[in-house]
Amino acid sequence: MKLFFQKDYFEDEFNSDREEESQRKRNWCERNLIIKDPNSSRLYYIWEIIFLGAFLITIVLVPYTSCQGDDIDYVLEEYTRELEVFLDIIWTINITLSFMTPYEQDIGLSDRFVDIARNYLFPGFVFDVLSTLTLPMSYNPSSLYFLKFLRAYHFPRCINILSRIIDQAVSCCNISKQAKSNVQSIFSQFIILFTIMHMVACGWIYIG
C-alpha cells in the first residue's frame, strides 16, 4: 500500500510518456509558432503595452479627426495619415499574433492552433480586418473610416493590460491598495470616456 507522501514513479513516467506523445502529435505551427505562456512572456508583455498605447491613440485620434471638418480625406492626407498607417500596421501585427496566442479556458490555456483560430475568427478576426480595411485601400474611400468603431471590441483587453501595468508599478513601489485602486479607477474612467467619444465620432463620420 502506497503512503500518501510517496511518489509514484510509474504514474510520473506514464504522464511523461503521454506528454511526449501529445507533443509528437502537434503540427509544425503548434510546436514552433504558438506562444508557450503569454502570461509569463516578457516580450509578449511588452507587445501588450505597445497595443495598449495604439488603442489609446486610436480612441483619441478618431474624435480629433471627426472634429476637424467634413472633409475627412483632407484631414487624413494633411495631418494624420502617417499616424493612421502606423496604427493600422500595429493592428495587422495583432491579427497575426492573435492566431499564435493561447486563450484561457476553465482547465487552463488552450494552445492548439485550430482551437485558437476558431476562438479568434469570430468576432475578433472579423472586427480587426474590417477596422483595418483603410490600410490596403490607401484610405480611399474615406467612408470606410467609420469602421474604426469596431476597435472598441478590445476595450476589455486593454483594461486588463492597464491593470497588469498598475500591479507591476505597485509591486515596485510602496503604494497602498487604496492608492492602487484610485489610480486604476482614474485611468479606467479615462479609457471609458474616450472609448465612448470614439464610438460617437465614428457614428458622426458615418452619418456625414
Side-chain angles (χ1 to χ4, degrees), residues 68-96:
Q68 296 304 305
D70 297 331
D71 193 355
I72 300 298
D73 293 298
Y74 176 78
V75 177
L76 290 172
E77 187 65 33
E78 296 296 327
Y79 298 104
T80 63
R81 185 184 183 87
E82 291 78 10
L83 186 54
E84 291 284 0
V85 169
F86 171 76
L87 294 173
D88 285 346
I89 290 173
I90 292 291
W91 240 259
T92 304
I93 295 172
N94 178 69
I95 291 172
T96 303

Side-chain angles (χ1 to χ4, degrees), residues 8-205:
D8 193 333
Y9 292 100
F10 295 104
E11 183 178 349
D12 287 349
E13 185 177 353
F14 176 73
N15 291 334
S16 177
D17 291 340
R18 289 186 60 186
E19 185 175 346
E20 290 178 2
E21 182 181 357
S22 176
Q23 188 67 22
R24 285 195 297 268
K25 289 181 179 179
R26 295 177 184 272
N27 58 38
W28 186 89
C29 290
E30 292 172 347
R31 292 196 306 270
N32 298 280
L33 297 181
I34 300 299
I35 300 171
K36 302 305 179 185
D37 187 359
N39 295 324
S40 61
S41 171
R42 190 67 179 175
L43 285 176
Y44 188 76
Y45 178 66
I46 294 172
W47 164 251
E48 291 274 80
I49 294 175
I50 294 172
F51 183 79
L52 173 61
F55 179 83
L56 294 177
I57 295 172
T58 296
I59 62 176
V60 173
L61 184 62
V62 173
Y64 168 81
T65 303
S66 68
C67 291
Q68 296 304 305
D70 297 331
D71 193 355
I72 300 298
D73 293 298
Y74 176 78
V75 177
L76 290 172
E77 187 65 33
E78 296 296 327
Y79 298 104
T80 63
R81 185 184 183 87
E82 291 78 10
L83 186 54
E84 291 284 0
V85 169
F86 171 76
L87 294 173
D88 285 346
I89 290 173
I90 292 291
W91 240 259
T92 304
I93 295 172
N94 178 69
I95 291 172
T96 303
L97 289 179
S98 295
F99 282 106
M100 301 162 56
T101 306
Y103 65 96
E104 292 282 352
Q105 285 186 319
D106 294 335
I107 57 174
L109 289 174
S110 176
D111 59 355
R112 292 291 181 142
F113 180 76
V114 174
D115 295 336
I116 294 172
R118 188 183 297 117
N119 180 70
Y120 173 60
L121 278 175
F122 187 81
F125 176 74
V126 176
F127 285 178
D128 286 344
V129 169
L130 289 176
S131 69
T132 318
L133 281 178
T134 48
L135 181 62
M137 295 184 179
S138 299
Y139 301 89
N140 186 24
S142 60
S143 57
L144 294 175
Y145 190 74
F146 81 96
L147 290 173
K148 302 289 184 184
F149 85 93
L150 294 171
R151 293 186 175 177
Y153 169 77
H154 290 284
F155 169 78
R157 173 186 174 185
C158 289
I159 291 293
N160 290 333
I161 298 171
L162 176 65
S163 178
R164 288 182 62 191
I165 294 173
I166 293 175
D167 287 339
Q168 289 271 342
V170 168
S171 63
C172 295
C173 306
N174 189 17
I175 301 176
S176 66
K177 290 184 178 181
Q178 183 61 41
K180 170 199 167 184
S181 177
N182 292 338
V183 170
Q184 186 163 347
S185 176
I186 291 171
F187 278 100
S188 296
Q189 290 176 18
F190 166 81
I191 296 177
I192 291 171
L193 173 63
F194 275 94
T195 301
I196 294 173
M197 291 173 59
H198 169 78
M199 299 285 286
V200 172
C202 288
W204 184 264
I205 292 171

